[in-house]
mmCIF file of all heavy atoms in Angstrom:
data_model
loop_
_atom_site.group_PDB
_atom_site.id
_atom_site.type_symbol
_atom_site.label_atom_id
_atom_site.label_comp_id
_atom_site.label_asym_id
_atom_site.label_seq_id
_atom_site.Cartn_x
_atom_site.Cartn_y
_atom_site.Cartn_z
ATOM 1 N N GLY A 1 -134.201 71.265 59.255
ATOM 2 C CA GLY A 1 -135.267 70.626 60.027
ATOM 3 C C GLY A 1 -136.606 71.295 59.806
ATOM 4 O O GLY A 1 -137.015 71.584 58.698
ATOM 5 N N ASP A 2 -137.274 71.563 60.881
ATOM 6 C CA ASP A 2 -138.586 72.192 60.848
ATOM 7 C C ASP A 2 -138.421 73.702 60.853
ATOM 8 O O ASP A 2 -137.945 74.290 61.814
ATOM 9 C CB ASP A 2 -139.384 71.745 62.079
ATOM 10 C CG ASP A 2 -140.786 72.330 62.104
ATOM 11 O OD1 ASP A 2 -141.110 73.104 61.194
ATOM 12 O OD2 ASP A 2 -141.544 71.997 63.026
ATOM 13 N N SER A 3 -138.798 74.356 59.776
ATOM 14 C CA SER A 3 -138.587 75.796 59.652
ATOM 15 C C SER A 3 -139.409 76.596 60.636
ATOM 16 O O SER A 3 -139.183 77.787 60.819
ATOM 17 C CB SER A 3 -138.921 76.248 58.218
ATOM 18 O OG SER A 3 -140.281 75.986 57.924
ATOM 19 N N THR A 4 -140.375 75.948 61.295
ATOM 20 C CA THR A 4 -141.186 76.664 62.272
ATOM 21 C C THR A 4 -140.547 76.653 63.660
ATOM 22 O O THR A 4 -141.018 77.327 64.560
ATOM 23 C CB THR A 4 -142.589 76.034 62.369
ATOM 24 O OG1 THR A 4 -142.466 74.692 62.863
ATOM 25 C CG2 THR A 4 -143.268 76.009 61.011
ATOM 26 N N THR A 5 -139.476 75.877 63.835
ATOM 27 C CA THR A 5 -138.812 75.795 65.125
ATOM 28 C C THR A 5 -138.007 77.062 65.375
ATOM 29 O O THR A 5 -137.194 77.461 64.551
ATOM 30 C CB THR A 5 -137.884 74.573 65.180
ATOM 31 O OG1 THR A 5 -138.653 73.394 64.951
ATOM 32 C CG2 THR A 5 -137.188 74.479 66.532
ATOM 33 N N ALA A 6 -138.198 77.670 66.519
ATOM 34 C CA ALA A 6 -137.485 78.903 66.847
ATOM 35 C C ALA A 6 -136.013 78.612 67.096
ATOM 36 O O ALA A 6 -135.648 77.564 67.628
ATOM 37 C CB ALA A 6 -138.112 79.541 68.083
ATOM 38 N N THR A 7 -135.168 79.540 66.706
ATOM 39 C CA THR A 7 -133.744 79.409 66.968
ATOM 40 C C THR A 7 -133.510 79.445 68.479
ATOM 41 O O THR A 7 -134.016 80.336 69.160
ATOM 42 C CB THR A 7 -132.970 80.558 66.295
ATOM 43 O OG1 THR A 7 -133.220 80.531 64.892
ATOM 44 C CG2 THR A 7 -131.476 80.414 66.534
ATOM 45 N N PRO A 8 -132.746 78.511 69.026
ATOM 46 C CA PRO A 8 -132.510 78.500 70.468
ATOM 47 C C PRO A 8 -131.907 79.810 70.966
ATOM 48 O O PRO A 8 -131.055 80.413 70.298
ATOM 49 C CB PRO A 8 -131.529 77.333 70.650
ATOM 50 C CG PRO A 8 -131.787 76.433 69.482
ATOM 51 C CD PRO A 8 -132.110 77.361 68.346
ATOM 52 N N GLU A 9 -132.341 80.238 72.139
ATOM 53 C CA GLU A 9 -131.824 81.474 72.720
ATOM 54 C C GLU A 9 -130.317 81.403 72.939
ATOM 55 O O GLU A 9 -129.616 82.409 72.830
ATOM 56 C CB GLU A 9 -132.539 81.768 74.042
ATOM 57 C CG GLU A 9 -133.981 82.221 73.886
ATOM 58 C CD GLU A 9 -134.093 83.549 73.137
ATOM 59 O OE1 GLU A 9 -133.205 84.411 73.320
ATOM 60 O OE2 GLU A 9 -135.042 83.708 72.364
ATOM 61 N N ALA A 10 -129.810 80.223 73.258
ATOM 62 C CA ALA A 10 -128.370 80.070 73.462
ATOM 63 C C ALA A 10 -127.605 80.419 72.191
ATOM 64 O O ALA A 10 -126.545 81.073 72.239
ATOM 65 C CB ALA A 10 -128.058 78.634 73.885
ATOM 66 N N ALA A 11 -128.123 79.998 71.041
ATOM 67 C CA ALA A 11 -127.466 80.308 69.771
ATOM 68 C C ALA A 11 -127.534 81.794 69.459
ATOM 69 O O ALA A 11 -126.555 82.405 69.013
ATOM 70 C CB ALA A 11 -128.101 79.495 68.642
ATOM 71 N N LEU A 12 -128.674 82.405 69.705
ATOM 72 C CA LEU A 12 -128.816 83.842 69.451
ATOM 73 C C LEU A 12 -127.900 84.648 70.363
ATOM 74 O O LEU A 12 -127.331 85.671 69.941
ATOM 75 C CB LEU A 12 -130.272 84.257 69.649
ATOM 76 C CG LEU A 12 -131.270 83.709 68.631
ATOM 77 C CD1 LEU A 12 -132.697 84.070 69.039
ATOM 78 C CD2 LEU A 12 -130.964 84.254 67.238
ATOM 79 N N ALA A 13 -127.744 84.214 71.617
ATOM 80 C CA ALA A 13 -126.863 84.918 72.541
ATOM 81 C C ALA A 13 -125.419 84.870 72.056
ATOM 82 O O ALA A 13 -124.682 85.870 72.134
ATOM 83 C CB ALA A 13 -126.968 84.308 73.939
ATOM 84 N N GLY A 14 -125.004 83.728 71.536
ATOM 85 C CA GLY A 14 -123.656 83.612 71.003
ATOM 86 C C GLY A 14 -123.440 84.488 69.791
ATOM 87 O O GLY A 14 -122.383 85.112 69.627
ATOM 88 N N ALA A 15 -124.440 84.539 68.918
ATOM 89 C CA ALA A 15 -124.340 85.390 67.728
ATOM 90 C C ALA A 15 -124.236 86.854 68.126
ATOM 91 O O ALA A 15 -123.460 87.620 67.545
ATOM 92 C CB ALA A 15 -125.551 85.162 66.826
ATOM 93 N N HIS A 16 -125.014 87.241 69.129
ATOM 94 C CA HIS A 16 -124.982 88.631 69.603
ATOM 95 C C HIS A 16 -123.597 88.978 70.150
ATOM 96 O O HIS A 16 -123.072 90.070 69.888
ATOM 97 C CB HIS A 16 -126.044 88.833 70.675
ATOM 98 C CG HIS A 16 -126.089 90.221 71.240
ATOM 99 N ND1 HIS A 16 -126.578 91.299 70.540
ATOM 100 C CD2 HIS A 16 -125.677 90.703 72.451
ATOM 101 C CE1 HIS A 16 -126.470 92.392 71.285
ATOM 102 N NE2 HIS A 16 -125.921 92.053 72.448
ATOM 103 N N TRP A 17 -122.997 88.055 70.893
ATOM 104 C CA TRP A 17 -121.662 88.322 71.429
ATOM 105 C C TRP A 17 -120.640 88.461 70.308
ATOM 106 O O TRP A 17 -119.809 89.360 70.325
ATOM 107 C CB TRP A 17 -121.238 87.199 72.382
ATOM 108 C CG TRP A 17 -119.903 87.471 73.028
ATOM 109 C CD1 TRP A 17 -119.663 88.265 74.118
ATOM 110 C CD2 TRP A 17 -118.633 86.972 72.606
ATOM 111 N NE1 TRP A 17 -118.314 88.288 74.396
ATOM 112 C CE2 TRP A 17 -117.657 87.497 73.489
ATOM 113 C CE3 TRP A 17 -118.220 86.124 71.576
ATOM 114 C CZ2 TRP A 17 -116.297 87.200 73.368
ATOM 115 C CZ3 TRP A 17 -116.863 85.832 71.451
ATOM 116 C CH2 TRP A 17 -115.922 86.370 72.342
ATOM 117 N N LEU A 18 -120.715 87.574 69.319
ATOM 118 C CA LEU A 18 -119.780 87.648 68.198
ATOM 119 C C LEU A 18 -119.923 88.969 67.438
ATOM 120 O O LEU A 18 -118.925 89.607 67.086
ATOM 121 C CB LEU A 18 -120.015 86.478 67.245
ATOM 122 C CG LEU A 18 -119.471 85.118 67.683
ATOM 123 C CD1 LEU A 18 -119.893 84.043 66.689
ATOM 124 C CD2 LEU A 18 -117.950 85.144 67.817
ATOM 125 N N GLU A 19 -121.147 89.366 67.179
ATOM 126 C CA GLU A 19 -121.378 90.633 66.471
ATOM 127 C C GLU A 19 -120.766 91.797 67.238
ATOM 128 O O GLU A 19 -120.222 92.737 66.637
ATOM 129 C CB GLU A 19 -122.876 90.856 66.275
ATOM 130 C CG GLU A 19 -123.513 89.889 65.296
ATOM 131 C CD GLU A 19 -125.031 89.894 65.377
ATOM 132 O OE1 GLU A 19 -125.590 90.379 66.387
ATOM 133 O OE2 GLU A 19 -125.671 89.415 64.430
ATOM 134 N N GLY A 20 -120.830 91.733 68.564
ATOM 135 C CA GLY A 20 -120.275 92.804 69.380
ATOM 136 C C GLY A 20 -118.764 92.838 69.391
ATOM 137 O O GLY A 20 -118.172 93.839 69.841
ATOM 138 N N GLN A 21 -118.126 91.794 68.894
ATOM 139 C CA GLN A 21 -116.666 91.755 68.832
ATOM 140 C C GLN A 21 -116.109 92.442 67.591
ATOM 141 O O GLN A 21 -114.904 92.710 67.509
ATOM 142 C CB GLN A 21 -116.181 90.296 68.845
ATOM 143 C CG GLN A 21 -116.551 89.531 70.106
ATOM 144 C CD GLN A 21 -115.938 90.121 71.341
ATOM 145 O OE1 GLN A 21 -114.716 90.177 71.483
ATOM 146 N NE2 GLN A 21 -116.772 90.580 72.257
ATOM 147 N N LEU A 22 -116.965 92.734 66.632
ATOM 148 C CA LEU A 22 -116.509 93.335 65.374
ATOM 149 C C LEU A 22 -116.187 94.814 65.542
ATOM 150 O O LEU A 22 -116.815 95.527 66.312
ATOM 151 C CB LEU A 22 -117.578 93.162 64.299
ATOM 152 C CG LEU A 22 -117.870 91.728 63.852
ATOM 153 C CD1 LEU A 22 -119.155 91.677 63.033
ATOM 154 C CD2 LEU A 22 -116.696 91.174 63.033
ATOM 155 N N ARG A 23 -115.215 95.245 64.782
ATOM 156 C CA ARG A 23 -114.864 96.651 64.704
ATOM 157 C C ARG A 23 -114.867 97.036 63.225
ATOM 158 O O ARG A 23 -113.985 96.632 62.471
ATOM 159 C CB ARG A 23 -113.481 96.916 65.316
ATOM 160 C CG ARG A 23 -113.040 98.366 65.270
ATOM 161 C CD ARG A 23 -111.605 98.555 65.712
ATOM 162 N NE ARG A 23 -111.389 98.183 67.113
ATOM 163 C CZ ARG A 23 -110.219 98.351 67.741
ATOM 164 N NH1 ARG A 23 -109.170 98.837 67.071
ATOM 165 N NH2 ARG A 23 -110.102 97.999 69.010
ATOM 166 N N ASP A 24 -115.867 97.790 62.804
ATOM 167 C CA ASP A 24 -116.018 98.153 61.380
ATOM 168 C C ASP A 24 -116.010 96.909 60.494
ATOM 169 O O ASP A 24 -115.394 96.883 59.425
ATOM 170 C CB ASP A 24 -114.905 99.116 60.944
ATOM 171 C CG ASP A 24 -114.991 100.451 61.649
ATOM 172 O OD1 ASP A 24 -116.114 100.911 61.932
ATOM 173 O OD2 ASP A 24 -113.922 101.040 61.930
ATOM 174 N N GLY A 25 -116.726 95.866 60.940
ATOM 175 C CA GLY A 25 -116.904 94.682 60.117
ATOM 176 C C GLY A 25 -115.803 93.652 60.187
ATOM 177 O O GLY A 25 -115.852 92.652 59.471
ATOM 178 N N VAL A 26 -114.811 93.853 61.038
ATOM 179 C CA VAL A 26 -113.701 92.893 61.131
ATOM 180 C C VAL A 26 -113.296 92.736 62.587
ATOM 181 O O VAL A 26 -113.446 93.658 63.394
ATOM 182 C CB VAL A 26 -112.496 93.350 60.271
ATOM 183 C CG1 VAL A 26 -111.843 94.597 60.846
ATOM 184 C CG2 VAL A 26 -111.488 92.238 60.091
ATOM 185 N N LEU A 27 -112.795 91.563 62.927
ATOM 186 C CA LEU A 27 -112.247 91.344 64.258
ATOM 187 C C LEU A 27 -110.848 91.937 64.336
ATOM 188 O O LEU A 27 -110.047 91.787 63.401
ATOM 189 C CB LEU A 27 -112.179 89.845 64.569
ATOM 190 C CG LEU A 27 -113.515 89.116 64.712
ATOM 191 C CD1 LEU A 27 -113.284 87.607 64.827
ATOM 192 C CD2 LEU A 27 -114.297 89.622 65.915
ATOM 193 N N TYR A 28 -110.560 92.609 65.419
ATOM 194 C CA TYR A 28 -109.238 93.213 65.602
ATOM 195 C C TYR A 28 -108.555 92.542 66.779
ATOM 196 O O TYR A 28 -109.085 92.494 67.882
ATOM 197 C CB TYR A 28 -109.369 94.712 65.867
ATOM 198 C CG TYR A 28 -108.032 95.415 66.022
ATOM 199 C CD1 TYR A 28 -107.229 95.644 64.913
ATOM 200 C CD2 TYR A 28 -107.580 95.822 67.280
ATOM 201 C CE1 TYR A 28 -105.997 96.276 65.046
ATOM 202 C CE2 TYR A 28 -106.365 96.454 67.417
ATOM 203 C CZ TYR A 28 -105.573 96.680 66.295
ATOM 204 O OH TYR A 28 -104.356 97.306 66.438
ATOM 205 N N ASN A 29 -107.369 91.983 66.541
ATOM 206 C CA ASN A 29 -106.600 91.331 67.585
ATOM 207 C C ASN A 29 -105.784 92.379 68.322
ATOM 208 O O ASN A 29 -104.768 92.862 67.822
ATOM 209 C CB ASN A 29 -105.678 90.267 66.976
ATOM 210 C CG ASN A 29 -104.998 89.414 68.032
ATOM 211 O OD1 ASN A 29 -104.451 89.917 69.007
ATOM 212 N ND2 ASN A 29 -105.023 88.104 67.828
ATOM 213 N N GLU A 30 -106.274 92.746 69.489
ATOM 214 C CA GLU A 30 -105.621 93.814 70.244
ATOM 215 C C GLU A 30 -104.275 93.380 70.817
ATOM 216 O O GLU A 30 -103.405 94.216 71.063
ATOM 217 C CB GLU A 30 -106.542 94.280 71.363
ATOM 218 C CG GLU A 30 -107.812 94.956 70.850
ATOM 219 C CD GLU A 30 -108.701 95.455 71.962
ATOM 220 O OE1 GLU A 30 -108.524 94.997 73.114
ATOM 221 O OE2 GLU A 30 -109.573 96.297 71.692
ATOM 222 N N GLN A 31 -104.089 92.089 71.009
ATOM 223 C CA GLN A 31 -102.813 91.616 71.536
ATOM 224 C C GLN A 31 -101.689 91.837 70.528
ATOM 225 O O GLN A 31 -100.587 92.274 70.885
ATOM 226 C CB GLN A 31 -102.898 90.130 71.891
ATOM 227 C CG GLN A 31 -101.607 89.579 72.501
ATOM 228 C CD GLN A 31 -101.693 88.090 72.795
ATOM 229 O OE1 GLN A 31 -102.650 87.412 72.412
ATOM 230 N NE2 GLN A 31 -100.690 87.567 73.486
ATOM 231 N N TYR A 32 -101.975 91.557 69.242
ATOM 232 C CA TYR A 32 -100.953 91.678 68.205
ATOM 233 C C TYR A 32 -101.169 92.868 67.278
ATOM 234 O O TYR A 32 -100.448 93.043 66.293
ATOM 235 C CB TYR A 32 -100.882 90.382 67.393
ATOM 236 C CG TYR A 32 -100.440 89.209 68.219
ATOM 237 C CD1 TYR A 32 -101.351 88.231 68.616
ATOM 238 C CD2 TYR A 32 -99.120 89.077 68.629
ATOM 239 C CE1 TYR A 32 -100.952 87.153 69.395
ATOM 240 C CE2 TYR A 32 -98.708 88.005 69.401
ATOM 241 C CZ TYR A 32 -99.627 87.038 69.786
ATOM 242 O OH TYR A 32 -99.224 85.974 70.558
ATOM 243 N N LYS A 33 -102.177 93.675 67.581
ATOM 244 C CA LYS A 33 -102.438 94.904 66.832
ATOM 245 C C LYS A 33 -102.616 94.638 65.342
ATOM 246 O O LYS A 33 -101.980 95.260 64.490
ATOM 247 C CB LYS A 33 -101.296 95.920 67.044
ATOM 248 C CG LYS A 33 -100.939 96.177 68.504
ATOM 249 C CD LYS A 33 -102.104 96.747 69.288
ATOM 250 C CE LYS A 33 -101.727 97.041 70.732
ATOM 251 N NZ LYS A 33 -102.878 97.508 71.546
ATOM 252 N N THR A 34 -103.506 93.719 65.020
ATOM 253 C CA THR A 34 -103.742 93.398 63.616
ATOM 254 C C THR A 34 -105.178 92.946 63.409
ATOM 255 O O THR A 34 -105.815 92.419 64.328
ATOM 256 C CB THR A 34 -102.775 92.285 63.142
ATOM 257 O OG1 THR A 34 -102.938 92.068 61.742
ATOM 258 C CG2 THR A 34 -103.034 90.990 63.885
ATOM 259 N N ASP A 35 -105.685 93.132 62.211
ATOM 260 C CA ASP A 35 -107.018 92.646 61.871
ATOM 261 C C ASP A 35 -106.980 91.136 61.674
ATOM 262 O O ASP A 35 -106.053 90.598 61.056
ATOM 263 C CB ASP A 35 -107.524 93.311 60.583
ATOM 264 C CG ASP A 35 -107.856 94.777 60.781
ATOM 265 O OD1 ASP A 35 -108.327 95.141 61.867
ATOM 266 O OD2 ASP A 35 -107.633 95.567 59.840
ATOM 267 N N ASP A 36 -107.982 90.454 62.181
ATOM 268 C CA ASP A 36 -108.067 88.997 62.087
ATOM 269 C C ASP A 36 -109.158 88.646 61.074
ATOM 270 O O ASP A 36 -110.303 88.384 61.425
ATOM 271 C CB ASP A 36 -108.388 88.414 63.460
ATOM 272 C CG ASP A 36 -108.454 86.886 63.454
ATOM 273 O OD1 ASP A 36 -108.262 86.282 62.382
ATOM 274 O OD2 ASP A 36 -108.715 86.314 64.527
ATOM 275 N N TYR A 37 -108.751 88.621 59.802
ATOM 276 C CA TYR A 37 -109.711 88.371 58.732
ATOM 277 C C TYR A 37 -110.168 86.918 58.705
ATOM 278 O O TYR A 37 -111.329 86.629 58.388
ATOM 279 C CB TYR A 37 -109.101 88.735 57.382
ATOM 280 C CG TYR A 37 -108.875 90.209 57.196
ATOM 281 C CD1 TYR A 37 -107.598 90.763 57.296
ATOM 282 C CD2 TYR A 37 -109.934 91.065 56.907
ATOM 283 C CE1 TYR A 37 -107.385 92.117 57.126
ATOM 284 C CE2 TYR A 37 -109.738 92.428 56.741
ATOM 285 C CZ TYR A 37 -108.457 92.952 56.849
ATOM 286 O OH TYR A 37 -108.253 94.293 56.689
ATOM 287 N N SER A 38 -109.279 85.990 59.023
ATOM 288 C CA SER A 38 -109.633 84.576 58.947
ATOM 289 C C SER A 38 -110.763 84.232 59.915
ATOM 290 O O SER A 38 -111.766 83.621 59.521
ATOM 291 C CB SER A 38 -108.409 83.714 59.259
ATOM 292 O OG SER A 38 -108.725 82.342 59.126
ATOM 293 N N THR A 39 -110.624 84.631 61.179
ATOM 294 C CA THR A 39 -111.684 84.344 62.139
ATOM 295 C C THR A 39 -112.939 85.142 61.822
ATOM 296 O O THR A 39 -114.050 84.715 62.139
ATOM 297 C CB THR A 39 -111.208 84.640 63.578
ATOM 298 O OG1 THR A 39 -109.968 83.973 63.810
ATOM 299 C CG2 THR A 39 -112.224 84.152 64.605
ATOM 300 N N THR A 40 -112.771 86.286 61.154
ATOM 301 C CA THR A 40 -113.935 87.067 60.736
ATOM 302 C C THR A 40 -114.797 86.275 59.754
ATOM 303 O O THR A 40 -116.028 86.312 59.824
ATOM 304 C CB THR A 40 -113.509 88.402 60.108
ATOM 305 O OG1 THR A 40 -112.773 89.173 61.064
ATOM 306 C CG2 THR A 40 -114.718 89.204 59.649
ATOM 307 N N VAL A 41 -114.165 85.545 58.844
ATOM 308 C CA VAL A 41 -114.925 84.696 57.920
ATOM 309 C C VAL A 41 -115.658 83.608 58.698
ATOM 310 O O VAL A 41 -116.847 83.350 58.466
ATOM 311 C CB VAL A 41 -114.010 84.074 56.852
ATOM 312 C CG1 VAL A 41 -114.825 83.136 55.944
ATOM 313 C CG2 VAL A 41 -113.342 85.145 56.010
ATOM 314 N N ASP A 42 -114.955 82.969 59.636
ATOM 315 C CA ASP A 42 -115.604 81.945 60.461
ATOM 316 C C ASP A 42 -116.796 82.542 61.213
ATOM 317 O O ASP A 42 -117.862 81.920 61.319
ATOM 318 C CB ASP A 42 -114.608 81.370 61.464
ATOM 319 C CG ASP A 42 -113.455 80.641 60.803
ATOM 320 O OD1 ASP A 42 -113.643 80.142 59.678
ATOM 321 O OD2 ASP A 42 -112.372 80.582 61.405
#
């Protein structure tokens, strides 16, 4: 669209939450004690 349009705060908040879920660059599934590479790509 218009490159001058600011990214919505709602989208930035979601990105911030996702970034905070990473552990050394990958999501870790604490329930099953394994790295979740597939959702990390998403």
Side-chain angles (χ1 to χ4, degrees):
D2 181 358
S3 62
T4 64
T5 301
T7 301
E9 288 297 325
L12 292 174
H16 179 73
W17 184 82
L18 283 175
E19 291 166 342
Q21 298 298 298
L22 294 167
R23 180 188 296 185
D24 295 326
V26 68
L27 293 172
Y28 182 73
N29 188 313
E30 294 182 342
Q31 182 182 8
Y32 296 106
K33 309 299 182 184
T34 185
D35 289 325
D36 182 359
Y37 292 104
S38 183
T39 308
T40 300
V41 177
D42 296 333

